[in-house]
Amino acid sequence: MGCVRYRMPMSEQAISIKNLSKKYAGGKQALNDVSFDVAQGSIFGLLGPNGAGKSTLINILAGMVMKSSGSASIWGFDIDANPRNAKASIGIVPQEIMFDPFFTPKEALELQAGLYGVPKSKRRTMELLKAVRLEDKADAYARTLSGGMKRRLLVAKAMVHAPPVIVLDEPTAGVDIELRQQLWDYVLELNKQGVTVVLTTHYLEEAEQLCDRIAIINHGQLIANKPTRELVGMAREKAVVLTLDRDVTVAPTHDAFEKSELVNERTIEITYNKDRMNAGEVLTTIQGLGLGILDVTTKEADLEDVFLRLTSSA
Ligand code: ADP
Ligand code: MG
């Protein structure tokens, strides 16, 4: 993307969201008092299952959905008080692919540049098409592009006005692995040039690979907002359920266990960190406490478990 220079921001934060709520006309509370900041220069993941409220939040930032209450600012510009500057500071790659099938990629970018008031001398149409590897499709009809190409064109479209912040809403849904990788290479390249990146996804692994920080949203509520390493550590937990050879009244504990719980008098569930021990070591530890084991089942902690744990401890 060449030497894009970003205006000095009026805020330390690329995005700042405070007590944001949204109730749709039909009565659905899609966002409930959500607050978080996105630091400049970071890659921030907004993670949550389908229906969590991710697109609602993004669309409020994009000025496409009206919030019910709360506030948001982009690059220091409040979306109510300074909507033009806020809008100019962000590029949105929407979840849904929508194109006029009769525009070519080149025309689509020129049109977008026009909408954003980018003067002809400052347009970077071919440079952008090249960056998303669509230069040889510059004059093809959009309807002849593959799904992955359309997705890349949307990314180029979002960057037409050289915003300091780009938001990608579920950019890899339905995109194959190779294209996914290309998309991420490009996004990482933008980030290296100083662009702050926000991406929403319902794949923990994807967020884990790319993001410095991950926020989790569930039923419209923010339930976590942590550096990636910390959050992923919580998903590194595994559990074994053990049937013992005798009744116990308290679950046996050990320093190496994350948690030990009584399921019933003969059954215990032990949670451990799989980076620190394995199931065999858990069993040996229990046997070392003088208990016999009749049966073992293992459970892998997944994002659902992390959600559940975070919601229950909130
Ligand atoms: P996500 O992007 O995390 O999948 P959404 O923000 O799209 O979640 O949706 C959050 C909730 O709001 C869902 O229950 C969804 O059905 C509802 N919703 C989304 N858009 C609208 C709308 N335009 N009108 C009414 N309800 C909506
Ligand atoms: Mg969505």
Side-chain angles (χ1 to χ4, degrees):
M1 202 116 315
C3 317
V4 178
R5 291 240 177 78
Y6 298 109
R7 279 160 293 139
M8 278 299 285
M10 299 162 71
S11 159
E12 297 274 299
Q13 307 295 346
I15 295 177
S16 183
I17 290 170
K18 290 199 173 65
N19 308 109
L20 196 64
S21 292
K22 170 66 187 179
K23 194 173 194 172
Y24 281 107
K28 175 77 199 177
Q29 185 83 41
L31 291 175
N32 189 355
D33 200 24
V34 170
S35 302
F36 65 87
D37 291 333
V38 176
Q40 274 179 52
S42 63
I43 303 188
F44 188 94
L46 184 62
L47 199 67
N50 282 328
K54 304 182 295 298
S55 293
T56 298
L57 192 145
I58 301 310
N59 291 337
I60 290 172
L61 294 179
M64 285 166 6
V65 166
M66 293 268 281
K67 62 186 164 58
S68 303
S69 59
S71 62
S73 57
I74 303 162
W75 215 242
F77 301 112
D78 185 275
I79 60 169
D80 292 329
N82 221 328
R84 282 185 59 139
N85 285 328
K87 234 183 154 171
S89 305
I90 197 165
I92 308 259
V93 184
Q95 181 172 355
E96 305 297 333
I97 296 184
M98 326 165 257
F99 280 120
D100 187 322
F102 296 106
F103 281 125
T104 67
K106 204 158 133 189
E107 288 165 346
L109 293 194
E110 285 291 323
L111 189 68
Q112 182 82 352
L115 287 175
Y116 274 89
V118 181
K120 282 232 152 67
S121 63
K122 292 230 171 107
R123 292 191 187 168
R124 307 167 301 146
T125 300
M126 284 316 290
E127 188 188 328
L128 280 167
L129 287 174
K130 211 169 154 190
V132 296
R133 303 192 193 174
L134 284 175
E135 71 264 47
D136 54 341
K137 293 281 178 189
D139 299 310
Y141 283 129
R143 68 180 144 82
T144 67
L145 304 180
S146 70
M149 289 174 180
K150 285 181 183 152
R151 189 66 71 180
R152 270 146 48 214
L153 180 55
L154 281 179
V155 177
K157 229 176 128 183
M159 290 308 296
V160 151
H161 56 297
V165 184
I166 185 170
V167 178
L168 300 105
D169 193 2
E170 305 244 11
T172 56
V175 174
D176 72 40
I177 292 189
E178 197 188 326
L179 289 174
R180 199 177 278 216
Q181 196 51 55
Q182 284 177 15
L183 192 62
W184 292 145
D185 289 347
Y186 180 57
V187 167
L188 290 170
E189 180 57 36
L190 285 177
N191 182 250
K192 245 191 247 153
Q193 291 167 15
V195 177
T196 303
V197 178
V198 177
L199 78 97
T200 81
T201 175
H202 55 266
Y203 302 118
L204 177 62
E205 217 177 297
E206 187 161 271
E208 182 183 344
Q209 282 171 17
L210 290 155
C211 303
D212 315 316
R213 196 176 181 90
I214 296 177
I216 296 183
I217 186 171
N218 197 21
H219 299 304
Q221 282 180 303
L222 198 76
I223 58 173
N225 175 6
K226 291 179 191 297
T228 302
R229 205 177 320 146
E230 232 175 273
L231 193 94
V232 166
M234 304 179 81
R236 286 260 177 265
E237 289 179 0
K238 264 186 109 160
V240 283
V241 179
L242 306 178
T243 308
L244 304 173
D245 64 349
R246 77 199 70 160
D247 291 356
V248 290
T249 49
V250 283
T253 56
H254 192 275
D255 285 346
F257 299 160
E258 299 287 327
K259 201 168 58 182
S260 178
E261 285 172 326
L262 218 52
V263 179
N264 57 48
E265 60 273 10
R266 285 238 173 174
T267 314
I268 55 172
E269 176 167 338
I270 292 166
T271 307
Y272 62 98
N273 187 315
K274 62 187 176 195
D275 293 337
R276 285 172 44 201
M277 67 194 312
N278 60 42
E281 287 163 338
V282 175
L283 302 191
T284 317
T285 307
I286 293 296
Q287 285 161 338
L289 296 169
L291 294 163
I293 297 163
L294 300 181
D295 195 19
V296 182
T297 48
T298 62
K299 294 204 308 204
E300 191 96 27
D302 57 18
L303 192 53
E304 285 299 306
D305 295 330
V306 177
F307 278 147
L308 283 177
R309 201 131 37 81
L310 288 165
T311 17
S312 63
S313 67

